[in-house]
Amino acid sequence: MTEETPGFDEKPDVPSGANSDDVEPKAATPSSEEAAAPAGDVQQTAALTAQLDQVRTALAERTADLQRLQAEYQNYRRRVERDRVQVKEVAVAGLLSELLPVLDDVGRAREHGELVGGFKSVAESLETVVAKLGLHQFGKEGEPFDPTIHEALMHSYAPDVTETTCVAILQPGYRIGERTIRPARVAVAEPQPGATPAAAKEEKADDEESGGTEEV
């Protein structure tokens, strides 16, 4: 009798009462560590997102602080520049105010024909310098009286004016830019009380000349 050896095609012994499906190999189930891995990634992503939001918030706050500091610095520079200009104007006005009596003497000498020779050259040089510093003279005869720039030293009535008018400039006024450092001192004349203004008289005379008897 020959001894039989089990071949590769032989099935393993199956216990009695067991189904063939029970002996089929089952797929491997993931371990607890492998199942926890995706959850860990989600938590890490959430933590990174939270940190990124914090960084963005901090950056926005620092940017706002920088913009505020820049605006404050610009305002500070404007204030310093404005104060510097004002201080310069005050200093120049103070200096030129001391020279006004000299300019008045020059003006009177010119009116009397005494501005000749070397004195004339010096006077013209002085007037050129003060003009470069921004000093301007104002005040003319015939202009309406303005109490903000005129100082009335003499008062009279005149039939040929329709409003208070400067009829004589006793002392010219001076200004630097919009700053008046001395008002013009003038003599003023007002319309004669109860008198018809010259313009109204002329208009009435013209009406009388052009008017005639109406035809019936």
Side-chain angles (χ1 to χ4, degrees):
M1 177 183 296
T2 59
E3 184 178 356
E4 295 181 358
T5 58
F8 292 102
D9 294 334
E10 293 182 357
K11 296 181 178 181
D13 295 337
V14 178
S16 59
N19 296 327
S20 60
D21 294 338
D22 295 338
V23 298
E24 292 291 336
K26 296 181 179 180
T29 57
S31 62
S32 59
E33 294 180 357
E34 293 176 348
D41 292 341
V42 172
Q43 293 177 356
Q44 185 178 7
T45 302
L48 291 175
T49 302
Q51 292 179 359
L52 181 59
D53 291 340
Q54 292 178 355
V55 171
R56 287 175 176 172
T57 302
L59 178 61
E61 292 176 352
R62 298 300 178 271
T63 302
D65 292 340
L66 181 60
Q67 292 175 345
R68 182 169 57 254
L69 288 174
Q70 186 177 8
E72 291 177 356
Y73 177 68
Q74 294 296 333
N75 292 334
Y76 167 76
R77 287 188 59 186
R78 284 193 289 267
R79 287 196 301 270
V80 170
E81 181 64 20
R82 184 175 61 250
D83 293 343
R84 186 185 68 82
V85 172
Q86 290 178 351
V87 169
K88 180 181 177 181
E89 289 180 352
V90 171
V92 172
L95 172 62
L96 294 178
S97 296
E98 298 296 327
L99 294 176
L100 295 186
V102 179
L103 296 175
D104 291 337
D105 291 339
V106 170
R108 284 190 289 267
R110 181 179 285 111
E111 291 176 358
H112 292 84
E114 299 175 356
L115 199 63
V116 295
F119 179 49
K120 178 180 180 181
S121 178
V122 173
E124 291 177 348
S125 297
L126 176 62
E127 291 174 339
T128 301
V129 171
V130 296
K132 288 182 179 180
L133 292 175
L135 184 68
H136 297 284
Q137 186 182 107
F138 67 90
K140 295 181 180 180
E141 294 182 5
E143 63 185 7
F145 175 75
D146 184 351
T148 61
I149 60 174
H150 296 137
E151 180 181 354
L153 300 182
M154 299 177 64
H155 177 271
S156 62
Y157 294 98
D160 57 344
V161 297
T162 59
E163 60 181 341
T164 304
T165 305
C166 300
V167 294
I169 306 300
L170 306 179
Q171 204 172 44
Y174 290 94
R175 67 164 59 97
I176 301 176
E178 300 298 326
R179 181 195 296 268
T180 300
I181 62 175
R182 190 181 76 182
R185 292 164 181 169
V186 300
V188 300
E190 290 183 333
Q192 190 72 30
T196 304
K201 286 183 177 179
E202 293 178 0
E203 184 178 355
K204 183 178 180 180
D206 293 339
D207 292 340
E208 291 177 353
E209 291 179 359
S210 61
T213 58
E214 296 182 357
E215 296 182 359
V216 179

